[in-house]
Each structure stands twice: as structure tokens, then as C-alpha cells.
């Protein structure tokens, strides 16, 4: 299934089922009015939602309408919990070296993870509002999962069964603030503004062989102002898997239904595929040219992130945003 949330209907949006081509959609208020509501009743609603998908694909839904990604909020416009990890150690090592920070002593035994802003996410085509260009805004192309309720103490072997949805994530970072904020030892706060997610979230079965229960073998392309930055494979060079991230997060707490977990900026050791963030591109340029050439994001820049399956079809739709000067009022 492919599910989305329209902006109409309040802060949690209106749940719709979307066809595989991302062209048609159906509202399903008789099943669930919001995606959060569906996740909290997944055992009851999964089969009815799947039936709607079948009918939509068969072209027998008279109530279907054109799906406009401009009218889509992030699949979960807000969430009770958003956790982001860093499982591509190649990226972590380079990012820390760039800001003069050592790797933590246990980085190969325990995943790095922080709890991010989750009370309001950007829509996939909404502008990202930034108060000041000098904060060195960077994008990070990621794949995130959404869980069912996960019991405390869930093991790695059990964790995959709690993955309900998959989506793209642009986890913005203010690089100028990481250099002053992270040495305090309390993690991210100001350095992580709101994030954005793809127009649709998909159930793992929708990905077929691209999901092996642990990782997603998908090419994730990113560009700035139409210039391709990279197209790394999300399934390659992962040191920790999604089940390991779930088990790590649930060690001492229950995860509520609708918890979002990211895996960090996608990074392959083969740099010929490019990069999933500006920071890595600048580090590469520093080594090759003696100085970075790619600027941090500025007002008016457009960032696009999209994932493709083996046929070249877009899996989640694109996150396509312009950076604008301003602050969010709500």
C-alpha cells in the first residue's frame, strides 16, 4: 500500500490511499481519518486499506481523484516520537573529522541516535524556512521507517515485525551550530530544524525484494538547483540495520505506534555514486581541490530527494523544497 496525508483536515491531515503510480487517491474516513489513527489500529485497518488499494488499482473506485503532491503534507504531519540514527559509519567518520570531533568509543557496538523535533514536519513541497543563511544549512537524504507500538525490551530478531511503513526523509542540519552545540554533550537541539518526508509512505511489502527485513536496496537521488549531488544505494555500507535501531530505541522504553526512526544520511564508500548531503561533498572537495567548492544551502535554493526502484519508478514521490527566509508561525 501507499498512504498519504492531505493538508486539509487539521494538524494531522486527512488519510488517503494512493495508487502505485502516485496518480490517483481515495479518502477512507470509514476506515481511519488520519494516518496516526490507522497506525494505532493497524491490526483492524490493514486489510480494509489493502482492499481499497486493490480496488484503486483495478480502476473500480468511483470516488478516486487526482493525487496532487502539492496538497500533500508529510505522511505523518506530526508524530509522538522521531528518532534518528547514524548507521553509515563512513558518513559519521567524515562529518566528525570535518568539525574536529573524535569518534565515540562505542560507535561500533551501539548505534548513535538522537530524539528530534516531531511536533510539526514540513510538507514534501513546502518551503523550508530559515532565519539566517550563516547557519550553514545542509540537507540529509535518508530512508525512515514508521513502527507499530514496540514493547520495551524488543529484541533485534523480533524488531522487523513492527515496521509498518517506509518513507523518504530530508533531515536538515545547521552545520554551524553542530560545532558549538554537540560539544556540550547533550545532543542536537538548535542544529536540527524541522524535517520533511516524502509525499507517500509505503508498506514494506510494496518494496518486494528491495527490502530483506533489515535494509532497503534503493537508489536515493538528491540534487540542489537541478544539479545532481549523488545517488547512493541505501542498502549498501550500513553498519547497523533497522531492526537493530528499533531494538536499541526500545531497550528501556515502549515505542508508541507512529514512532519514526531514521538511519542517517545515506553514504556509500564508493564516492563515484556521489553524496547524500553537502557536508560529504565539501569534505571530498577539500581533499581533491584543497578547498570546498559546494556552498551550503542559501535562500532560493531548491533541494530534491527521490528514491527509485529497479524499473526506474519513483517509490515515494519526491521531496522538493525551496529554502526561504522566515520563521514558522505554527
Amino acid at each position: 500500500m501507499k498512504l498519504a496525508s492531505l493538508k486539509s483536515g487539521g494538524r494531522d491531515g486527512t488519510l488517503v490511499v494512493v495508487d502505485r503510480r502516485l496518480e490517483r487517491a481515495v479518502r477512507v474516513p470509514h476506515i481511519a481519518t488520519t494516518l496516526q489513527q490507522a497506525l494505532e489500529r493497524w491490526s483492524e485497518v490493514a486489510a480494509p486499506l489493502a482492499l481499497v488499494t486493490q480496488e484503486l488499482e483495478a480502476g473500480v473506485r468511483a470516488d478516486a481523484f487526482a493525487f496532487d503532491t502539492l496538497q500533500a503534507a508529510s505522511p505523518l504531519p506530526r508524530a509522538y516520537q522521531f528518532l534518528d540514527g547514524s548507521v553509515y559509519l563512513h558518513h559519521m567518520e567524515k562529518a566528525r573529522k570535518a568539525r574536529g570531533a573524535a569518534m565515540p568509543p562505542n560507535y561500533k557496538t551501539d548505534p548513535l541516535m538522537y530524539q528530534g523535533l516531531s511536533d510539526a514536519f514540513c510538507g514534501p513541497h513546502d518551503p523550508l524556512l530559515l532565519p539566517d543563511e550563516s547557519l550553514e544549512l545542509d540537507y540529509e537524504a535518508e530512508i525512515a521507517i514508521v513502527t507499530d507500538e514496540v514493547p520495551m525490551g524488543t529484541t533485534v530478531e523480533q524488531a522487523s515485525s513492527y515496521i509498518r511503513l517506509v518513507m523518504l526523509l530530508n533531515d536538515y542540519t545547521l552545520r554551524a551550530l553542530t560545532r558549538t552545540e554537540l560539544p556540550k554533550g547533550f545532543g542536537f537541539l538548535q542544529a536540527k530544524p524541522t524535517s520533511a518526508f516524502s509525499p507517500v509512505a509505503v508498506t514494506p511489502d510494496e518494496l518486494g525484494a528491495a527490502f530483506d527485513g533489515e535494509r532497503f536496496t534503493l537508489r536515493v537521488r538528491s540534487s540542489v538547483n537541478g544539479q545532481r549531488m549523488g545517488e547512493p544505494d541505501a542498502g549498501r555500507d550500513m553498519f547497523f540495520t533497522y531492526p537493530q535501531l528499533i531494538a536499541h530505541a526500545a531497550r528501556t522504553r515502549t515505542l508508541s505506534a507512529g514512532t519514526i526512526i531514521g538511519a542517517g544520511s545515506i553514504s556509500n564508500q564508493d564516492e563515484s555514486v556521489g553524496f547524500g548531503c553537502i557536508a560529504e561533498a565539501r569534505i571530498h572537495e577539500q581533499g581533491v581541490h584543497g578547498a570546498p567548492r559546494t556552498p551550503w544551502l542559501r535562500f532560493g535554493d531548491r533541494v530534491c530527494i527521490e528514491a527509485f526502484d529497479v524499473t526506474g519508478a519513483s517509490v515515494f514521490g519526491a521531496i522538493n523544497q525551496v529554502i526561504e527566509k522566515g520563521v514558522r508561525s505554527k
Side-chain angles (χ1 to χ4, degrees):
M1 294 184 284
K2 297 193 174 187
L3 305 174
S5 294
L6 302 181
K7 293 177 181 177
S8 58
R11 289 194 172 187
D12 294 306
T14 298
L15 175 64
V16 294
V17 176
V18 182
D19 70 1
R20 291 187 173 91
R21 295 171 299 281
L22 307 179
E23 295 174 352
R24 307 286 291 170
V26 174
R27 294 179 179 85
V28 286
H30 60 293
I31 300 174
T33 57
T34 69
L35 182 54
Q36 179 63 40
Q37 185 185 96
L39 288 161
E40 291 173 356
R41 300 171 42 236
W42 193 256
S43 62
E44 303 170 38
V45 306
L49 288 172
L51 178 59
V52 172
T53 295
Q54 294 171 14
E55 294 171 343
L56 186 58
E57 293 296 332
V60 298
R61 294 291 305 209
D63 54 349
F65 58 91
F67 179 59
D68 181 2
T69 56
L70 294 177
Q71 300 304 313
S74 282
L76 285 168
R78 56 180 177 172
Y80 290 119
Q81 185 161 226
F82 167 42
L83 307 172
D84 199 20
S86 186
V87 306
Y88 300 91
L89 300 192
H90 186 58
H91 166 78
M92 190 197 312
E93 289 164 350
K94 290 196 295 184
R96 284 180 168 248
K97 181 179 180 181
R99 65 172 189 266
M103 295 294 285
N106 59 344
Y107 77 103
K108 289 189 175 181
T109 57
D110 291 315
L112 265 70
M113 183 175 285
Y114 74 93
Q115 188 154 348
L117 180 156
S118 63
D119 55 349
F121 297 124
C122 279
H125 293 282
D126 292 345
L128 187 281
L129 300 181
L130 179 69
D132 185 352
E133 275 186 345
S134 69
L135 298 177
E136 300 179 357
L137 179 66
D138 196 358
Y139 77 91
E140 294 190 46
E142 305 186 23
I143 291 181
I145 58 170
V146 183
T147 73
D148 202 334
E149 183 166 307
V150 181
M152 184 191 306
T154 292
T155 65
V156 173
E157 293 73 24
Q158 298 166 330
S160 184
S161 66
Y162 294 102
I163 299 174
R164 292 292 170 261
L165 298 170
V166 189
M167 52 191 180
L168 278 182
L169 161 62
N170 186 347
D171 180 49
Y172 286 105
T173 302
L174 301 172
R175 299 293 182 188
L177 296 181
T178 63
R179 291 191 290 272
T180 56
E181 191 167 61
L182 293 182
K184 297 176 183 178
F186 250 40
F188 293 111
L189 183 68
Q190 295 177 343
K192 287 291 187 179
T194 186
S195 300
F197 295 87
S198 49
V200 304
V202 310
T203 49
D205 62 287
E206 194 75 25
L207 298 172
F211 180 51
D212 63 2
E214 295 188 337
R215 52 180 59 82
F216 302 98
T217 304
L218 292 170
R219 296 177 293 110
V220 180
R221 180 185 302 166
S222 60
S223 64
V224 176
N225 298 327
Q227 180 175 345
R228 186 180 298 192
M229 296 292 295
E231 196 170 321
D233 186 327
R236 190 177 301 160
D237 301 320
M238 289 183 74
F239 194 84
F240 296 102
T241 65
Y242 286 92
Q244 287 175 305
L245 290 176
I246 294 171
H248 177 78
R251 181 183 178 187
T252 60
R253 65 174 75 178
T254 294
L255 308 182
S256 61
T259 292
I260 300 170
I261 302 179
S265 182
I266 301 167
S267 178
N268 291 166
Q269 294 193 40
D270 176 8
E271 294 189 345
S272 69
V273 301
F275 311 100
C277 66
I278 291 174
E280 283 202 31
R282 287 171 61 89
I283 293 166
H284 174 76
E285 292 162 353
Q286 178 75 43
V288 174
H289 306 292
R293 296 184 174 184
T294 303
W296 302 112
L297 295 172
R298 297 177 289 206
F299 299 138
D301 285 347
R302 180 177 294 275
V303 181
C304 185
I305 300 173
E306 195 165 7
F308 300 92
D309 63 19
V310 292
T311 70
S314 179
V315 178
F316 310 96
I319 303 174
N320 194 335
Q321 298 181 284
V322 172
I323 311 305
E324 294 185 0
K325 182 177 177 60
V327 296
R328 294 188 66 155
S329 59
K330 62 177 181 178

